[in-house]
């Protein structure tokens, strides 16, 4: 690359149409790292696209605002003044934007960095929250063998689609392995009922009924939930009992 001894007050380079820098003045050498001799190594990628788009149609009197990578700042705002010569070489003068503009640019970059860090922290918190919810859901419907043929499933918290989805695999596997004839599902500790949770719960009860051929015994259902299940003609898959104590008392008589 040729060093031009031209008394210009601004950094100046000459490049070929392929982007290779063939000459520059001392100000450009001091401002930029030109060891690779490629213009795209000192211009931000989005600014490269902007420069390519505007170079062939740009009025030589109008500046092109771009972001450059200087030795001291990886994101510095400049105005580029360009012109072509008869050998299709592009001559570029670099004029730094005023300090106020640069301060605003630095503030924007700092804000973007903070936002990126915040997004990552939020992502981590979201993952932890999802893991906690999954853990809570998995503990909200344990399968407890009461006898060799009777299984007990107490449900806790809100009756949601996610909760039923999480506990279903363990419940069905336990019933299949143990060959339980009687399965009790206790709804005493259910706090709130979601519509999607009702549908998923019905699917689980139907699957249990198909696996062991007996009606599932629903205990502790509050009037609202019992009414919903009754209206859905759910009685062909289950029977309602007032409490676990009632079931066990009659079982051992």
């Amino acid at each position: 690359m040729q060093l031009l001894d031209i008394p210009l007050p601004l950094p100046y380079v000459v490049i070929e149409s392929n982007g290779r820098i063939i000459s520059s003045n001392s100000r450009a050498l001091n401002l930029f790292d030109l060891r690779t001799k490629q213009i795209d190594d000192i211009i931000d990628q989005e600014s490269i696209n902007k420069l390519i788009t505007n170079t062939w149609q740009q009025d030589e009197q109008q500046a092109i605002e771009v972001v450059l990578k200087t030795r001291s700042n990886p994101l510095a705002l400049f105005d580029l003044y360009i012109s072509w010569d008869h050998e299709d070489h592009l001559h570029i003068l670099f004029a730094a934007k005023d300090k106020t503009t640069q301060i605003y640019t630095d503030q924007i970059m700092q804000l973007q960095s903070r936002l990126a860090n915040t997004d990552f922290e939020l992502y981590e918190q979201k993952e932890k929250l999802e893991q906690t919810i999954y853990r809570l859901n998995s503990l909200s419907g344990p399968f407890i063998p009461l006898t060799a043929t009777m299984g007990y499933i107490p449900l806790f918290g809100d009756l949601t689609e996610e909760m039923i989805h999480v506990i279903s695999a363990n419940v069905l596997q336990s019933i299949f392995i143990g060959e339980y004839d009687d399965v009790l599902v206790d709804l005493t500790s259910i706090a709130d009922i979601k519509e999607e949770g009702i549908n998923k719960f019905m699917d689980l009860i139907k699957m249990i009924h198909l696996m062991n051929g007996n009606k599932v015994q629903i205990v502790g259902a509050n009037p609202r939930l019992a009414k919903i299940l009754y209206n859905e003609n759910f009685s062909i898959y289950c029977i309602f009992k007032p409490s676990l104590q009632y079931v066990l008392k009659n079982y051992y008589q």
Side-chain angles (χ1 to χ4, degrees):
M1 179 175 61
Q2 180 183 2
L3 177 63
L4 298 176
D5 188 18
I6 302 177
L8 290 174
L10 296 174
Y12 166 72
V13 300
V14 181
I15 66 173
E16 295 177 328
S17 57
N18 61 4
R20 181 174 178 271
I21 301 173
I22 56 176
S23 56
S24 68
N25 66 355
S26 58
R27 289 181 180 272
L29 286 175
N30 292 333
L31 183 62
F32 305 114
D33 184 355
L34 301 180
R35 287 175 296 178
T36 63
K37 301 180 182 179
Q38 291 295 323
I39 190 67
D40 56 358
D41 285 333
I42 66 170
I43 301 183
D44 181 72
Q45 184 58 50
E46 291 188 7
S47 293
I48 279 286
N49 297 333
K50 182 178 181 181
L51 179 62
I52 292 173
T53 301
N54 289 276
T55 294
W56 294 99
Q57 50 188 337
Q58 181 72 26
D59 184 343
E60 294 183 0
Q61 302 302 316
Q62 298 296 321
I64 303 174
E65 187 179 77
V66 299
V67 177
L68 300 180
K69 306 170 189 176
T70 68
R71 292 183 183 273
S72 61
N73 190 344
L75 294 170
L77 198 60
F78 278 75
D79 280 337
L80 267 58
Y81 294 88
I82 62 175
S83 63
W84 291 94
D85 62 22
H86 64 282
E87 296 181 344
D88 284 338
H89 292 159
L90 185 63
H91 298 248
I92 303 178
L93 278 172
F94 301 88
K97 302 290 281 188
D98 60 55
K99 292 184 179 179
T100 302
T101 303
Q102 188 61 51
I103 289 173
Y104 290 148
T105 302
D106 292 342
Q107 290 176 344
I108 291 172
M109 296 309 301
Q110 291 173 7
L111 180 58
Q112 287 178 337
S113 177
R114 288 169 55 191
L115 287 174
N117 291 333
T118 301
D119 286 344
F120 182 72
E121 290 172 1
L122 288 175
Y123 176 77
E124 285 188 321
Q125 292 299 323
K126 181 181 177 221
E127 279 198 327
K128 291 180 181 178
L129 179 60
E130 288 176 347
Q131 292 171 1
T132 301
I133 292 174
Y134 183 88
R135 179 63 175 164
L136 288 174
N137 283 329
S138 65
L139 296 173
S140 297
F143 185 89
I144 304 172
L146 296 180
T147 70
T149 59
M150 178 181 288
Y152 175 60
I153 309 169
L155 300 183
F156 303 93
D158 295 341
L159 187 62
T160 64
E161 181 178 10
E162 291 81 8
M163 184 253 272
I164 300 299
H165 175 74
V166 170
I167 69 172
S168 291
N170 178 59
V171 166
L172 296 176
Q173 183 180 20
S174 298
I175 293 172
F176 176 77
I177 294 174
E179 298 183 356
Y180 294 92
D181 295 326
D182 297 309
V183 177
L184 284 64
V185 179
D186 194 340
L187 304 179
T188 305
S189 299
I190 289 297
D192 193 18
I193 305 165
K194 307 298 182 182
E195 183 177 351
E196 298 82 2
I198 289 290
N199 296 332
K200 199 73 175 178
F201 175 71
M202 290 179 176
D203 291 339
L204 176 61
I205 297 302
K206 291 176 184 178
M207 185 61 67
I208 294 174
H209 171 70
L210 291 173
M211 289 180 67
N212 66 7
N214 297 323
K215 290 187 177 183
V216 179
Q217 299 184 57
I218 307 292
V219 300
N222 61 48
R224 178 191 171 195
L225 183 53
K227 183 178 180 181
I228 292 173
L229 297 176
Y230 179 80
N231 289 341
E232 294 291 338
N233 297 321
F234 210 47
S235 58
I236 61 176
Y237 304 105
C238 66
I239 53 177
F240 293 91
K241 300 294 178 65
S243 65
L244 175 62
Q245 181 181 6
Y246 175 86
V247 174
L248 294 178
K249 181 180 178 181
N250 286 274
Y251 181 81
Y252 285 106
Q253 283 183 350

